[in-house]
Structures are given as structure tokens and as C-alpha cells.
Amino acid sequence: MTMTSVVDSEDLYLWHEGTQYQCYHFLGSHLEERSGQRGVHFAVWAPNAKQVNVTGSFNGWDGSGHPMSRQEGVWTLFIPELTEGTLYKYEVITEQGDCYLKSDPMAFHSELRPGTASIVTSLEGYEWEDEDWQANKSNQLQQQPLLIYEVHLGSWKRKEDGGFYTYVELADELIDYVRYRGYTHIEIMPLGEHPLDASWGYQVTGYFSVTSRFGSPKDFMYFVDRCHQQGIGVIMDWVPAHFCKDEHGLARFDGTPLYEYADIQKSENLTWGTSVFDFGKPEVLSFLITNALFWMDVYHVDGLRVDAVSSLLTLNFDERKEVRITNEYGGDENLEGIAFLQKLNAVVFARYPNALMIAEDSSSFPGVTSPVANGGLGFNYKWDLGYTWRTLEYEKKSEEERSAGEDQITQSLLNIWDEQFILPFSHDEMANESKSLLGKMSGKDAWQRFANLRVLYMFTMGHPGKKLTFMGNEFGQMDDWNWDDSLEWQLLDYEEHQQFAHFVTQMNHFYKSKPALWKQDYKPLGFEWIGTDDQSDGIVTFYRKTGDEENEQLVIVCNFKSVAQEGYRLGISMPGRYREIFNSDNSEFGGSGVGNASELNTEEWFCQNRPNSMVVNMPPLAAVIFEYIPSKG
């Protein structure tokens, strides 16, 4: 026996208007009681279907006995006696008489691949214990330290038999590791259900279904809860730009282009082999913005790194397109994609003012982190991919080549106020045979390569902007990242990797302890060039300051050459006493041990356009940080 079921008319009105931001409450499958009977209510949007039936393990995968009723393009049905764990799909019959078996776009859980069925699942009943974390979250994010550890859960660590660690097991191992190493946040590569491991999660079929590779929805709740209890924030990569074409997914869901554009020039990303969401369709906006909020509402995720933003900003992002298209004004801008991003951020911040909304954007589009009210996209952070590309290209060069290209390492310091940047060394820099970060470093031997990576990390730490590092880089992964295997944990059996991991750990904790390194990341008063008289000597120097009553001032000196410089004269703005407080060349980090042991005093000696200066020892391929010592009394 089945029962007719209806959806609230106000919910449907908002859904069709593009302003229904909690549609997962009425679409999908929900355990309910109707007329005294327990069962499951099903609802799915398929406006162009001739008929939709529910099929599953309970009816031998024959949906003919469970037809759904249509209500304003949404098909509904209540089936008594079904319980949690029931496998199901929608049997979508098109106007042409074709029949498709589709997974539920709003399913909360899905079969482990290669299975593709949706699973009736309740998200109720988990008892959260992250009240302190939630109460102490601040919307003054720009004035807080942010050290992000980017993780692919399937390859951070594998079991001896090659199997995955579960969310619960990762909660015991990964969180403690991240906290010990000094990171503030974990960023997890996409967790929406996806059929192909090799896509890394970036080609999604189940936007509301946390992947079953690592456990159940409540297992993932436990993971996030434990992160928060240990003081670690959680960011998730989110993929609103495109979706995969697998037959059971969103593509041509009701026999027509429903979630994707109908215009073939706009509906496909040929490079990625995916379908592009129709950002001009109100129901798609409701679907996507609801999904963004869903991960925060249900799983307490602290923010989203929005993938492939640049593909949403232009109509001609796909390089394989043979015909260029324009908008209604004759321009290249994707007006619907831009409007979607603005709406997304406005809605998210209205509900979660302390959310992290991070744009992974390789374009030069202006105002990515400017408020929507000012015409910007409304993100609060943007990945500075230009910084990543330029610094790594510089680090690949021999020392002779570096002399003519020092602007590659310093150029980013000229436009640091353009956006609120995160400086990322992400999975993209370690995948597809591009070599690991350590593998990219130039050097005559292993010592120089490790030293080069240490000075790059220190320069990045001192550079304005928040920080992100992909897993494995913290201990000097040697090979490219392999998504189908564990990280090279065996490297920690070797002294040079132990020392490098110790360096990263100490650097991270040092960074968090010094407000001058993060409090004014996005204000000019937090940074001051010192510069050099010689633009080819490989030495880059600058101040980081709190710019407040604390008056914390740090002098950061980076030597990108392998020759130590004893007696290097450094121009100083504020005369007085200074002391060395961090040195990447310390012997405990695997360095040569060149440093400055005692307090240093400035002299009235004009240098680097400053009336005062002091003499320091600069280690080879290293960075040194000096701290100003306020006068007593």
C-alpha cells in the first residue's frame, strides 16, 4: 500500500523562485509517520518526465507498483513500512518512453562504488559536543592565524591491505597529527559521492551524500565533531561548476537537460568531460545554495573552498571550444555564473557570518574578495595561484638563473592588497607527474634542496596572506602524490626527513605565536618593505608588524643563495635592540648552524634608504627572523 503525498506549496514556490535554501528538508527520502504508519516519503524534481516511480530492494527493482504523483514538477510518494537502510532509485520514464534509473539528487547516503543506489538514511540523532568551538568562532577571521592542511582522505594513510581508514579511524589519527604539526584547519578534498576514485572527488553524483568510502554520515559528523573538540576547523572542497555525466547522476535527469544548460555551447566542459550547471535556472540555484548550506547546517563544516571559480566567470573558459560565445552585451563574462557566486556568498554570510568562503580562482577577475554590495563576488579569501606559480618557478632555477629573475619571488609583494589571499601549495603542485615540492627544488644535492624548501616555507610564512599546504609536503614527500596509495610515511625513518618535519612543526607553532605574522595580513600597516640595494643578490627583507599598541615588529631576511653572508648590513626603521628568534638554518632542522647568538644593536649608519642599520649573519639558503626588543621603562 502507498499513500499520496504533497509538498508544502510555499516550499515549492521558493524552490521555483530560486530562493529555497533548505530544500533537503522536503526533497529526497525522509523517514516519517503518516496516518499512524511509519515509512519513507520520497520527493524528486523531474518536471519533464512522463512518469516517475520508486524502485529498490523492497520491490525487486520493479517500480511499476510504486508510481509517484506529480505536483508542480515535483514527484512525491509515501511508502509505509520502509526503514532506514533501504536501497532505492527513481525510475524516470521520459515523454519518448525511455526509462532511466536515477540516483536521488538529494540522497543523504549512497552505495559504495561500483554500486549506485541511494540509501534511505536519517541525519537525526547525533549528539554534537562542539559547543565551545561554535561559541568561540570569530567573524574577525582576517585577524586570526590560518594554517590549512589540505587532505585527500583516501591517500593520507592506507591500511596494510590497501583499504581506506574510516572517518572514525581518521578522527583518532589524522586530527591528532594535524594538531601536533601546528595546523589550524583541515581542508578535505571533495566528499560528495563520486563514482571514480581517480576524479579525486571533483566529479560528483551525490551532492548531499557524503561519500561512503570512509563510512556513514554520522561517522563523518563524529570526525568533524572531534576536529572541533581539538580546536581544528574543517573546510571542504565544493564543486558547483560542473558535474559528471554518469548515467545514474544528474545528467539529463528527466530525459532533458534539467540541471545542465540546454544550449550545447554552454552545457559541456569538453576539457573535463563534464556537464555545466545552468546558473540561469532558479531551481538549480536553490539546489546549489541549499547544498552549500547543507554541509554547514548538518555537518558543522566551517567553510567551503569553491572549486574552479574561474570557469564560472567566463563563457569561454573551456580551451577546447571551437566557437567562442558572448553574453547579451557582447562580452565574455558569464553573467549568470557571476550572479550565482554573488548570491551564494550573500546567502551563506547572512546565515553564517564567520564562514570561510574561499575561491580557487586562476583568473584576474577583480573584486573576488570584495563585498557583494560593492560589486564584488563576496568571498572572504582567494587562492593566490600566481604566487604559487611564480615562487615555484623561481625555486626551480639554478642560482645563476635566479640572479636575473628575482622579481618572480618578490612580485607578489607588490599586489598583496588586491585581494584577501591564501598562499597555496596544494595538491595541484604534486599531481600528474609534476613532482613534489621537494622534487621541484633546485640544488646540487639533497641538503640544498631541503634548504631551498625551508627558505621557501619561511618566505611564505612571513608573506602577507593565510597559508595552505598539501599533505606530505610537511615531511618532504619525494614522489608525486599518488591518489591510489598512502603517503610515503617511511621517509620519516630517515634523519633528513625527520629534521624537515620538525622544522615545519616548529615553524607552524612559531607562526601562531606571533600576531605580527597574521594580525594585519590585509592591511598595509602590517607590512613594510626593507628591500636591498642589489636586486640580484638573492636576499629579500621586509617587516611584519601588528600595527597596534602591542607594537610587535619582526624583521624577516631571506637568503635564496647558497653562500652565507657574514656581516650583512640591514637597514632598520626603528632603532634599538633586536634578537634572532627563528632561523631555518638551525642544525636541529638539518641546516648548517649559521646564526646570530646574541642581541644586536642598531647603529646610526644609513643603509637601504634608512638612517639606521645593523649587521647580521645570513646563513646560506635560509631565512632568519629578528624581533624588536622594546626599551625597558
Side-chain angles (χ1 to χ4, degrees), residues 387-388 390-396 402 408-409 423-425 429 436-438 440-441 448-463 467 500 503 507 542 558-560 584 621-623:
Y387 172 85
T388 306
R390 286 190 297 269
T391 54
L392 291 179
E393 282 301 310
Y394 179 83
E395 288 288 356
K396 293 176 186 177
R402 287 181 182 182
Q408 282 186 298
I409 202 76
L423 312 181
F425 293 117
E429 280 65 63
S436 67
L437 288 189
L438 183 62
K440 289 180 171 66
M441 298 298 107
Q448 286 195 357
R449 287 191 290 275
F450 273 108
N452 263 311
L453 191 51
R454 287 196 301 270
V455 69
L456 173 62
Y457 273 27
M458 286 283 286
F459 176 73
T460 303
M461 182 188 69
H463 192 294
K467 329 296 178 188
F500 185 76
F503 157 73
M507 180 189 70
F542 53 90
C558 302
N559 181 10
F560 289 95
S584 70
L621 292 174

Side-chain angles (χ1 to χ4, degrees), residues 37-164:
Q37 289 188 291
R38 296 289 298 173
V40 178
H41 172 256
F42 297 92
V44 63
W45 180 53
N48 303 305
K50 182 178 181 180
Q51 177 61 48
V52 180
N53 306 322
V54 182
T55 182
S57 56
F58 58 92
N59 61 13
W61 297 98
D62 179 2
S64 60
H66 293 92
M68 305 179 80
S69 300
R70 181 172 180 155
Q71 181 188 357
E72 297 182 37
V74 172
W75 298 81
T76 63
L77 181 67
F78 179 79
I79 305 179
E81 299 182 0
L82 295 189
T83 59
E84 188 163 14
T86 299
L87 302 181
Y88 73 99
K89 285 188 178 181
Y90 295 117
E91 198 173 74
V92 180
I93 301 170
T94 71
E95 289 290 349
Q96 292 74 34
D98 297 322
C99 182
Y100 298 106
L101 285 179
K102 290 289 189 178
S103 300
D104 189 343
M106 295 279 182
F108 297 146
H109 200 204
S110 303
E111 276 191 298
L112 178 62
R113 48 87 177 108
T116 57
S118 302
I119 305 174
V120 173
T121 303
S122 172
L123 299 179
E124 303 297 324
Y126 181 82
E127 295 184 7
W128 288 88
E129 298 181 14
D130 65 346
E131 296 86 356
D132 289 344
W133 172 266
Q134 300 295 350
N136 292 318
K137 284 168 70 171
S138 169
N139 60 5
Q140 301 298 316
L141 296 167
Q142 287 75 25
Q143 297 181 24
Q144 301 295 321
L146 190 60
L147 285 173
I148 303 170
Y149 186 72
E150 187 190 23
V151 177
H152 177 258
L153 294 183
S155 59
W156 181 72
K157 189 177 286 188
R158 289 283 184 95
K159 296 181 178 179
E160 290 186 6
D161 63 0
F164 295 131

Side-chain angles (χ1 to χ4, degrees), residues 161-429:
D161 63 0
F164 295 131
Y165 278 75
T166 67
Y167 296 120
V168 173
E169 291 166 336
L170 288 164
D172 291 333
E173 292 210 27
L174 175 58
I175 298 169
D176 287 345
Y177 178 84
V178 168
R179 186 182 183 193
Y180 168 73
R181 291 293 182 206
Y183 296 97
T184 64
H185 288 70
I186 296 173
E187 180 177 315
I188 308 173
M189 291 166 69
L191 288 176
E193 196 57 83
H194 52 283
L196 183 65
D197 291 12
S199 78
W200 312 338
Y202 290 98
Q203 295 195 11
V204 183
T205 51
Y207 275 81
F208 291 80
S209 183
V210 65
T211 180
S212 55
R213 286 167 175 78
F214 315 114
S216 70
K218 288 178 182 174
D219 291 339
F220 182 58
M221 292 178 192
Y222 175 79
F223 175 84
V224 177
D225 201 6
R226 278 289 308 278
C227 282
H228 289 169
Q229 291 170 40
Q230 296 296 316
I232 302 295
V234 179
I235 303 165
M236 193 188 82
D237 283 10
W238 185 59
V239 192
H242 61 124
F243 57 90
C244 64
K245 298 180 179 180
D246 289 55
E247 189 172 310
H248 67 283
L250 298 178
R252 297 188 66 86
F253 189 83
D254 61 1
T256 69
L258 186 62
Y259 287 89
E260 66 269 45
Y261 281 105
D263 183 350
I264 191 64
Q265 291 295 324
K266 299 169 68 176
S267 66
E268 291 188 70
N269 187 302
L270 298 174
T271 300
W272 295 333
T274 53
S275 294
V276 178
F277 280 106
D278 183 348
F279 301 107
K281 191 173 291 182
E283 294 87 352
V284 171
L285 299 184
S286 289
F287 176 85
L288 287 173
I289 296 176
T290 289
N291 185 245
L293 294 172
F294 169 82
W295 294 98
M296 301 179 191
D297 291 345
V298 173
Y299 291 110
H300 291 202
V301 164
D302 299 289
L304 303 174
R305 192 223 70 167
V306 181
D307 183 60
V309 165
S310 54
S311 72
L312 297 172
L313 301 178
T314 172
L315 294 170
N316 297 289
F317 173 79
D318 191 347
E319 295 179 356
R320 293 182 60 185
K321 280 186 176 179
E322 295 182 1
V323 179
R324 293 183 64 82
I325 57 177
T326 59
N327 59 37
E328 59 191 282
Y329 302 107
D332 180 65
E333 300 84 5
N334 183 349
L335 301 179
E336 293 172 342
I338 293 168
F340 158 70
L341 292 171
Q342 292 175 320
K343 188 173 185 179
L344 165 72
N345 286 314
V347 172
V348 167
F349 286 120
R351 184 170 299 181
Y352 293 102
N354 52 15
L356 292 155
M357 292 297 288
I358 304 166
E360 188 265 326
D361 174 30
S362 59
S363 77
S364 57
F365 190 90
V368 172
T369 56
S370 295
V372 173
N374 296 343
L377 295 184
F379 289 93
N380 51 4
Y381 292 107
K382 173 183 174 174
W383 276 17
D384 190 351
L385 295 170
Y387 172 85
T388 306
W389 298 331
R390 286 190 297 269
T391 54
L392 291 179
E393 282 301 310
Y394 179 83
E395 288 288 356
K396 293 176 186 177
K397 295 179 183 296
S398 67
E399 291 194 30
E400 294 74 22
E401 293 173 316
R402 287 181 182 182
S403 296
E406 196 165 296
D407 60 332
Q408 282 186 298
I409 202 76
T410 59
Q411 183 178 342
S412 57
L413 291 166
L414 303 176
N415 63 349
I416 50 180
W417 319 123
D418 290 356
E419 302 280 1
Q420 294 177 171
F421 286 121
I422 289 176
L423 312 181
F425 293 117
S426 73
H427 65 274
D428 285 329
E429 280 65 63

